[in-house]
Amino acid sequence: MSQTRVAVVGSANMDLVAMAPSLPRPGETMLGTDFVMVPGGKGANQAIAAVRAGASCAFLGAIGSDAFGVTLRARITAAGVDTGHLRVVYGTSGVALVLVNAQGENAIVVTPGANDTLVGLTDEELATVRGADVLVAQLEIPVQTVTAAALAARAAGTRVVLNAAPARDLPPELLDAVDLLIVNEGEAHAFTGRGREEPRALLDLVPRAVLTLGDAGAWYVDREGVEVHVPAVQVDVVDSTAAGDAFTAALAVGWGEGRDVVDAVRWAAAAGAACVRKLGASVALPQRSEIDALYSPG
């Protein structure tokens, strides 16, 4: 089996993660129990997760000229991701303030910083997209950049996986280029007005879709009439911060390797479960052996 080539276009943030017994209410100050500072951002997380799942991965993103940017580049590169197209712009890097309670639930505030400057993809960046087996994108960067990458991928026969988070207005030309859409229940409701009760509503937008539901598993649907519920893998939850990123990357890698898409969703569910057992974002992303250990075919 040849190694899947993944291109990820997306955000890179420094995650400042604090653990506390509960999430504070407005105006409340409480003592936390732990703190970590780790690279994050959906783009960087999914790039690192793709490498750990067994793919080769090039990351198209932007970091600031601050100390966080230096650390982000070093950490993402050390994870085995190709950062040759990681731009450095004057100013601050993206930062995410993450609060995690004792049940693994989180609340997150993201300041985009350099991520908002990722516009105008170069010929070299577009060539990287065209040379990949799968393009993975999210919506923490300008939508016009995601659209340009997706159109280049579609023209080259590269599969396009869009994790449409956070939910934003999407131009029709972007949706027309998407092969597989991944959303959670809140995002699905924002796009269709429907939640878990009607995952097929997403097929008005794209030919294939996955609706993730946390510990309730995920639904896969497509325009060929397939509708399959994939149960969640039951593990002890420590931190759910990057579970969706582990899921998205593993699904893209598995599908790119030639797995049936439903089987790729099952493998992705194992990746999400492996991720939530650890604190932090990129540091919790699972290795392929950890995914395989939890994977169960249908």
Side-chain angles (χ1 to χ4, degrees):
M1 180 178 62
S2 60
Q3 189 176 40
T4 298
R5 298 166 298 170
V6 175
V8 174
V9 57
S11 58
N13 299 321
M14 185 59 74
D15 286 358
L16 309 178
V17 185
M19 292 282 291
S22 61
L23 299 178
R25 297 183 296 273
E28 181 182 10
T29 299
M30 66 173 55
L31 290 176
T33 57
D34 201 358
F35 173 79
V36 292
M37 184 175 75
V38 293
K42 286 186 174 297
N45 286 345
Q46 291 175 16
I48 293 170
V51 170
R52 292 184 180 173
S56 65
C57 183
F59 177 46
L60 285 64
I63 53 176
S65 56
D66 55 2
F68 284 162
V70 174
T71 302
L72 282 168
R73 177 182 287 279
R75 296 281 187 87
I76 297 169
T77 302
V81 177
D82 178 355
T83 54
H85 296 302
L86 182 56
R87 303 178 186 182
V88 180
V89 298
Y90 181 78
T92 61
S93 299
V95 174
L97 306 177
V98 184
L99 302 177
V100 183
N101 68 14
Q103 290 73 46
E105 299 170 321
N106 60 60
I108 305 173
V109 175
V110 179
T111 57
N115 295 302
D116 273 349
T117 72
L118 187 62
V119 294
L121 295 178
T122 67
D123 290 341
E124 292 80 7
E125 289 168 336
L126 291 172
T128 296
V129 170
R130 296 187 190 102
D133 298 308
V134 185
L135 170 70
V136 178
Q138 326 77 33
L139 299 176
E140 290 183 337
I141 59 173
V143 172
Q144 63 264 37
T145 303
V146 177
T147 302
L151 291 175
R154 169 52 61 92
T158 297
R159 286 173 172 167
V160 178
V161 174
L162 176 62
N163 177 205
R168 303 168 68 174
D169 290 336
L170 300 180
E173 58 267 31
L174 172 55
L175 291 171
D176 288 345
V178 171
D179 293 294
L180 175 63
L181 180 72
I182 302 173
V183 291
N184 64 23
E185 188 170 14
E187 293 149 2
H189 193 274
F191 288 122
T192 68
R194 310 289 177 84
R196 68 179 68 195
E197 74 281 358
E198 197 169 343
R200 297 193 65 83
L202 294 165
L203 299 179
D204 292 338
L205 307 175
V206 294
R208 302 172 192 83
V210 174
L211 172 60
T212 62
L213 299 169
D215 60 7
W219 282 96
Y220 169 77
V221 294
D222 65 32
R223 289 176 180 170
E224 302 302 314
V226 177
E227 184 171 340
V228 177
H229 178 256
V230 175
V233 180
Q234 299 303 311
V235 295
D236 292 331
V237 177
V238 174
D239 180 8
S240 62
T241 301
D245 297 329
F247 181 99
T248 295
L251 200 167
V253 172
W255 196 26
E257 289 177 349
R259 291 176 185 261
D260 172 85
V261 65
V262 174
D263 186 55
V265 174
R266 296 186 191 281
W267 199 60
C275 182
V276 303
R277 298 182 298 182
K278 301 176 185 177
L279 175 64
S282 60
V283 294
L285 298 168
Q287 299 289 343
R288 189 180 183 97
S289 59
E290 296 176 281
I291 302 172
D292 286 341
L294 292 177
Y295 162 71
S296 177

